[in-house]
Amino acid sequence: MRRRILLTGIRIITRAKRRAIVFVILFTFISGLMLFSLNFVWDAHSTTLLVQSKGIILRPKGFTYVSYDENLEEKLARYDDVEKVVAVWFVNLSELEDLGVNAIMVAVNPDNKWCYVLSESFDLSPSSLREGDYIAREGEIMLSSANVLNISKNATVSLRPSSILKIGKYSFHVVGMLSEDKLPNGGMNWIIAHESDVKRICEKYGLQKYVFGYIVIVEGWLFSGWDNVERVGILLKNEYKDFEVIYASANDNYRLFSPMIVLFAFSVFGCLIVGALFSYLDIRLRKRSLAILRSLGWSTGNLRLLTLAELLFVTILGFFFGLLALAIYRLFTAQIYVPLSVYTVLISFVVIMVSTQVPGGYLYQRSITKVKPVDALRLIER
Amino acid sequence: MSEPLFEVRDVVKRYEKEGREITVLDKVNLSIGLGDFVVIVGATGSGKTTLINILSGLDKPDSGKVYFEGEDMTRMSEEELADLRRENMGFVFQHFNLIPEFTALENVESPLYPTKLSDREIRTRALKVLELVGMTHRVNHYPDELSGGEKQKIAIARALITNPVVIFADEPTAALDPQSEKEVIWLLREINRKRRTTIILATHNRALASSTDKVFELKNGKLVRVSGGRT
């Protein structure tokens, strides 16, 4: 019975074409705004901004890199208040001429991709991706956007996403290109590969491992973890005197964060208003139909379900179009690549549903119980 | 004598109009049996619709009692009255009152949507009553694509789908041409004759009543027997 009433509601709104189109457009716009703002606040925080909020970078003093010390990584991870330690380590493929590739191969773990930010000009996080995808599994690599790789002293090869690069007996699939200005300059060729692949090449050819630095993420909530950051930072400064300790926190990001919060608040407010407007117009324009159904024996609960089904349908449709709009926007115009997480989509969906259905439901509840068939039938006669 | 379907006792209904109180129904008494064809005649504004609304539970009297199959309708809640209407009553209105967003078929099915009947059962019943009123060729048309007579036939089919014991027809022919008027009245009489459905017809046109009907006249708030019944 409920299913039938819900389907009837959907049928009614799809037939009220003009009203449906107007409200789907409104909900698309609002959903798009909400997804956009939450995507930035939430997902960007899990990438670059997270490191800048809770990160400490340990860099060798006076040198750009030193030999990689696995023990140091383990020691850092054992400190209280330390959530995660990620070493940015690499091998220099040109050390072995037999490989025929003149490039630095940096190891990243796709699970930790949000951590790979050492500085503004050394950013291996998804934020610096300009084309293609981030590495998701072994056998995948990313290159600098110059996309020309020296394969020997006198030979180069041009690579694009979907190209295959052979290093010794290993084949790699190019999946993405990183922005050149996010990598240290100096005429280097950069290959960013899965940690397991780099380890395998290291072991196979006996290459030396080097480290650009360690990224230490401390425990604590975003924007409130500063005490922890400072405590751990001081500890590291005292313990590792050969290293430079840099607090990654950058207040600049608050400037981006605030408008996004305002945008989010605006979209919630928009949902409340549009949801209420839809319900108000629905009851006003369809008072007669509701009264006829009431006179035919529909209960107020049945009518409430019918009208809520209409609102639910328009909202869900708007949400999916909003999602689509954001995807299109990201595809053609976005300057910063921030992947949309499932959590963002789910949370946006829940917030939109609650903020439209609650005022809508309240209005329906109030008005439908007031629809007296006899009054409405009298209205028709006039 | 078997228990009457409706028993109306001393029903009074007043309205306020331009600061003056008007008594539309003044101590109305009426008894209607199962299978009766009742015609309530009266001029426009005489209170026919008010009486029908009170009999169907759409409106409540200021005083007096209305019994349906021995149950006091004036003491029922809105939801109980809604159930009672859905299970026992059908309505045919002057302005058809079809839902514009529904097709003819969906309009006919609509009283059964909030029931536990299966979709298939509802569809079968709807097609059956549409066949009875001769409207199977218009099932997928929307109300605004139908003529007045066709709309009223759809409304009759909708009234019939619940197998009601009583159909209230409030000025069902007032908006129709003479040919459609004839067809609609004939249809109501056929339903009354074949199904023993009680028909309560409110009209300003006395000519619609036949010699076998129970005819009452509403005048100055009083219900007066004209023929075939008792008040």
Side-chain angles (χ1 to χ4, degrees):
Chain A
M1 178 184 99
R2 282 192 178 159
R3 179 193 57 88
R4 196 155 48 219
I5 293 174
L6 282 171
L7 288 177
T8 305
I10 292 170
R11 213 157 47 211
I12 289 174
I13 191 65
T14 50
R15 285 172 191 171
K17 287 190 187 74
R18 253 181 303 178
R19 195 154 49 97
I21 290 169
V22 167
F23 277 93
V24 166
I25 291 172
L26 283 172
F27 279 121
T28 301
F29 179 68
I30 291 169
S31 304
L33 279 185
M34 185 172 292
L35 283 162
F36 178 78
S37 57
L38 265 191
N39 174 222
F40 191 90
V41 171
W42 202 279
D43 301 329
H45 261 284
S46 20
T47 56
T48 314
L49 295 187
L50 178 68
V51 180
Q52 287 169 336
S53 304
K54 306 204 307 170
I56 299 166
I57 290 162
L58 208 60
R59 227 163 38 185
K61 250 183 203 166
F63 303 98
T64 48
Y65 57 86
V66 291
S67 292
Y68 175 45
D69 180 359
E70 236 165 282
N71 292 333
L72 179 59
E73 192 177 335
E74 279 176 24
K75 264 178 83 179
L76 289 169
R78 279 202 294 272
Y79 282 114
D80 287 344
D81 294 331
V82 170
E83 192 179 299
K84 195 174 203 65
V85 177
V86 172
V88 185
W89 66 274
F90 66 97
V91 293
N92 188 350
L93 297 177
S94 57
E95 280 180 6
L96 208 65
E97 278 194 15
D98 290 354
L99 286 176
V101 179
N102 183 18
I104 298 286
M105 190 177 215
V106 187
V108 297
N109 182 343
D111 294 338
N112 297 336
K113 59 190 172 194
W114 46 273
C115 276
Y116 290 97
V117 189
L118 278 176
S119 66
E120 260 184 44
S121 58
F122 196 110
D123 182 357
L124 303 183
S125 73
S127 319
S128 61
L129 199 66
R130 280 291 172 263
E131 195 183 337
D133 298 317
Y134 203 86
I135 298 164
R137 57 189 68 82
E138 290 174 27
E140 291 183 348
I141 55 169
M142 297 181 293
L143 302 172
S144 57
S145 55
N147 74 42
V148 177
L149 205 65
N150 298 330
I151 54 165
S152 72
K153 275 180 188 165
N154 302 316
T156 59
V157 63
S158 181
L159 295 163
R160 307 274 318 153
S162 81
S163 302
I164 302 288
L165 174 68
K166 272 188 164 301
I167 300 174
K169 64 169 191 170
Y170 301 104
S171 292
F172 295 98
H173 180 210
V174 180
V175 292
M177 311 298 281
L178 291 182
S179 178
E180 194 86 325
D181 59 3
K182 295 285 180 182
L183 293 163
N185 49 26
M188 300 263 211
N189 291 308
W190 293 86
I191 300 171
I192 292 88
H194 194 287
E195 207 172 54
S196 308
D197 289 329
V198 187
K199 272 183 190 158
R200 208 169 293 132
I201 287 176
C202 251
E203 281 159 19
K204 172 80 181 166
Y205 300 105
L207 287 166
Q208 171 70 43
K209 285 183 191 172
Y210 301 99
V211 65
F212 283 121
Y214 297 90
I215 299 160
V216 179
I217 304 292
V218 300
E219 300 268 9
W221 294 96
L222 291 172
F223 298 118
S224 61
W226 183 249
D227 286 346
N228 291 355
V229 172
E230 201 168 27
R231 192 164 56 245
V232 176
I234 290 165
L235 191 76
L236 297 181
K237 254 184 191 165
N238 294 335
E239 295 247 337
Y240 302 100
K241 295 197 175 355
D242 293 340
F243 284 86
E244 205 177 349
V245 176
I246 300 158
Y247 297 101
S249 300
N251 287 329
D252 277 2
N253 292 308
Y254 291 97
R255 285 210 294 266
L256 281 171
F257 186 72
S258 307
M260 290 300 158
I261 292 291
V262 172
L263 204 62
F264 175 72
F266 175 77
S267 53
V268 173
F269 183 69
C271 280
L272 291 167
I273 297 294
V274 177
L277 184 69
F278 181 89
S279 312
Y280 173 76
L281 286 176
D282 200 33
I283 293 162
R284 221 181 139 77
L285 295 172
R286 296 192 40 247
K287 192 171 183 174
R288 178 190 156 175
S289 298
L290 296 177
I292 293 169
L293 290 172
R294 191 96 177 88
S295 71
L296 296 175
W298 285 49
S299 67
T300 48
N302 297 147
L303 293 181
R304 203 164 43 240
L305 194 64
L306 180 86
T307 44
L308 276 177
E310 296 176 32
L311 178 57
L312 200 69
F313 178 75
V314 170
T315 317
I316 292 175
L317 205 63
F319 180 78
F320 282 109
F321 281 127
L323 207 59
L324 196 69
L326 185 68
I328 293 168
Y329 171 77
R330 289 262 179 261
L331 207 61
F332 293 109
T333 57
Q335 294 300 304
I336 302 169
Y337 177 84
V338 184
L340 191 64
S341 71
V342 178
Y343 297 109
T344 301
V345 175
L346 283 178
I347 286 166
S348 304
F349 185 73
V350 170
V351 171
I352 287 169
M353 283 300 129
V354 170
S355 53
T356 49
Q357 302 295 311
V358 166
Y362 174 72
L363 272 178
Y364 283 138
Q365 172 76 28
R366 270 193 53 155
S367 314
I368 283 172
T369 47
K370 280 186 187 167
V371 174
K372 293 259 185 286
V374 69
D375 294 337
L377 295 176
R378 213 172 281 144
L379 200 85
I380 299 161
E381 281 163 22
R382 269 182 228 152
Chain B
M1 191 183 147
S2 63
E3 195 176 68
L5 190 65
F6 281 103
E7 190 73 49
V8 179
R9 285 190 205 153
D10 296 328
V11 161
V12 175
K13 184 74 184 177
R14 295 187 188 92
Y15 287 121
E16 200 154 302
K17 198 176 179 186
E18 292 161 4
R20 278 177 51 221
E21 196 175 68
I22 299 166
T23 306
V24 186
L25 300 177
D26 188 7
K27 295 211 169 188
V28 167
N29 288 287
L30 176 67
S31 181
I32 298 169
L34 188 68
D36 285 352
F37 197 108
V38 178
V39 182
I40 299 165
V41 290
T44 306
S46 60
K48 302 184 295 291
T49 302
T50 306
L51 180 58
I52 278 195
N53 286 343
I54 287 173
L55 284 172
S56 59
L58 287 169
D59 206 353
K60 290 204 169 179
D62 293 330
S63 68
K65 298 280 181 194
V66 180
Y67 295 93
F68 177 78
E69 292 180 335
E71 294 278 324
D72 186 356
M73 288 173 68
T74 55
R75 298 181 76 162
M76 289 183 186
S77 69
E78 284 294 326
E79 295 308 312
E80 284 170 333
L81 287 168
D83 289 343
L84 184 81
R85 280 196 295 273
R86 193 178 58 242
E87 287 160 17
N88 300 287
M89 300 172 185
F91 294 88
V92 181
F93 304 96
Q94 177 185 349
H95 297 279
F96 325 119
N97 289 357
L98 298 177
I99 312 273
E101 297 93 347
F102 287 173
T103 62
L105 181 63
E106 288 161 355
N107 263 293
V108 173
E109 289 177 336
S110 60
L112 294 182
Y113 285 159
T115 65
K116 284 180 180 156
L117 290 175
S118 70
D119 291 349
R120 182 182 285 194
E121 170 71 6
I122 293 174
R123 183 59 47 96
T124 311
R125 278 210 207 179
L127 290 171
K128 212 169 154 186
V129 290
L130 278 163
E131 198 181 347
L132 189 78
V133 299
M135 288 297 292
T136 43
H137 61 298
R138 304 289 259 169
V139 286
N140 292 320
H141 287 76
Y142 288 92
D144 58 7
E145 297 165 347
L146 302 172
S147 70
E150 286 174 326
K151 281 182 197 171
Q152 202 57 295
K153 285 179 185 171
I154 296 295
I156 293 172
R158 182 178 64 184
L160 282 174
I161 197 170
T162 54
N163 289 326
V165 289
V166 57
I167 289 179
F168 295 98
D170 187 8
E171 295 278 13
T173 59
L176 302 182
D177 59 80
Q179 181 57 31
S180 301
E181 179 182 271
K182 250 187 225 169
E183 284 174 18
V184 166
I185 294 297
W186 176 82
L187 203 54
L188 289 172
R189 290 197 183 283
E190 280 296 291
I191 292 160
N192 172 249
R193 193 173 61 82
K194 286 184 178 165
R195 298 182 158 216
R196 268 201 91 215
T197 306
T198 304
I199 307 285
I200 300 175
L201 172 71
T203 179
H204 66 279
N205 185 359
R206 200 179 282 256
L208 294 182
S210 88
S211 56
T212 53
D213 299 341
K214 288 182 176 176
V215 186
F216 300 90
E217 184 170 6
L218 255 174
K219 209 171 183 181
N220 301 324
K222 301 279 186 191
L223 189 70
V224 184
R225 186 188 66 182
V226 176
S227 67
R230 63 186 173 86
T231 58

